[in-house]
């Protein structure tokens, strides 16, 4: 029987406190760093950071302002369309009504009278009427036209600026049509100055069948 002082059998189980700790399992072949020292509690871990709540609030306010402005603009645009203040239809051209040119008796114009009827002397009678209204005799000439069946007596003038004088002459001979046309203009000497210093400016009276007296 062994004595109490005898050595403890080496095969007997030893106290757990005296047992050396087993080595920690390897985390890989990389060297240990500060991320391997993790705290035991359930607190925040890692290096991730939460989004700044101020930045999110600023984005919301910005989009709200943009949406508000867009709604206001759409409202203004719709109101202008509804009230007719804004239209995509092409604007109608405003044409200013131009009244007839007032007659003006201007005796500075030379006048040619052409008798376009079969009544002899009708051109000469018209010439005398024009001279009696103030024209110089040398400024009023008369002749026969190539036709004798012209229906309506007409005063022809060359330029738009001559219309008032043409209407004045039409009134002098008792009423006649006026027309901007140089068909019956008699070619004059280019060196002869006319109205406003231009050569060949004259009025031509073609006497028609409406002035026959026989």
């Amino acid at each position: 029987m062994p004595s109490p002082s005898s050595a403890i059998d080496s095969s007997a189980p030893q106290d757990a406190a005296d047992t050396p700790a087993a080595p920690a399992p390897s985390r890989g072949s990389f060297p240990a760093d500060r991320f391997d020292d993790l705290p035991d509690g359930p607190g925040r871990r890692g290096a991730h950071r939460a989004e700044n709540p101020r930045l999110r609030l600023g984005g919301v306010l910005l989009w709200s302002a943009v949406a508000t402005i867009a709604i206001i603009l759409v409202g203004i645009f719709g109101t202008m369309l509804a009230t007719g203040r804004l239209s995509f239809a092409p604007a109608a051209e405003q044409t200013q009504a131009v009244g007839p040119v007032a007659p003006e008796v201007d005796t500075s114009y030379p006048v040619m009278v052409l008798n376009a009827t079969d009544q002899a002397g009708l051109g000469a009678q018209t010439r005398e009427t024009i001279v009696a209204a103030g024209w110089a005799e040398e400024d009023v000439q008369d002749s026969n036209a190539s036709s004798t069946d012209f229906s309506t007596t007409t005063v022809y003038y060359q330029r738009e600026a001559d219309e008032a004088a043409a209407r004045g002459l039409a009134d002098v001979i008792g009423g006649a049509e006026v027309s901007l046309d140089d068909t019956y203009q008699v070619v004059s000497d280019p060196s002869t100055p006319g109205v406003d210093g231009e050569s060949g400016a004259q009025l031509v009276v073609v006497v028609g069948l409406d002035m026959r007296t026989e």
Side-chain angles (χ1 to χ4, degrees):
M1 180 175 181
S3 61
S5 60
S6 61
I8 302 174
D9 188 359
S10 61
S11 62
Q14 298 179 358
D15 192 281
D18 297 333
T19 303
S26 174
R27 293 180 181 273
S29 59
F30 298 99
D33 55 20
R34 62 188 179 89
F35 294 104
D36 293 325
D37 300 331
L38 302 177
D40 295 333
R44 183 174 124 183
R45 298 180 182 183
H48 299 287
R49 295 181 179 179
E51 182 180 357
N52 190 340
R54 294 184 179 179
L55 295 179
R56 178 179 296 179
L57 178 60
V60 172
L61 292 177
L62 176 61
W63 283 108
S64 298
V66 172
T68 302
I69 294 174
I71 293 173
I72 293 174
L73 291 178
V74 170
I76 295 175
F77 187 76
T79 302
M80 294 180 68
L81 282 177
T83 57
R85 298 174 62 185
L86 179 64
S87 175
F88 294 105
E93 296 183 1
Q94 296 182 354
T95 56
Q96 184 177 2
V98 179
V101 177
E104 179 182 354
V105 178
D106 190 343
T107 59
S108 64
Y109 280 84
V111 179
M112 169 61 69
V113 179
L114 297 177
N115 183 12
T117 71
D118 56 357
Q119 180 178 339
L122 191 56
Q125 295 178 15
T126 304
R127 175 184 178 276
E128 293 176 359
T129 301
I130 296 173
V131 171
W135 268 263
E137 290 190 6
E138 61 271 16
D139 289 339
V140 183
Q141 306 295 323
D142 70 281
S143 181
N144 292 323
S146 58
S147 65
T148 59
D149 57 353
F150 195 80
S151 60
T152 305
T153 303
T154 305
V155 178
Y156 293 91
Y157 59 99
Q158 301 183 47
R159 309 166 306 173
E160 292 183 358
D162 303 331
E163 182 177 357
R167 291 186 178 277
L169 179 58
D171 290 345
V172 166
I173 61 177
E177 299 290 334
V178 296
S179 176
L180 176 60
D181 192 343
D182 61 357
T183 302
Y184 296 96
Q185 295 291 330
V186 178
V187 178
S188 60
D189 184 357
S191 62
T192 303
V195 178
D196 299 330
E198 296 185 9
S199 60
Q202 65 175 352
L203 303 176
V204 177
V205 179
V206 179
V207 181
L209 298 176
D210 59 334
M211 293 190 69
R212 287 185 56 179
T213 58
E214 297 179 357

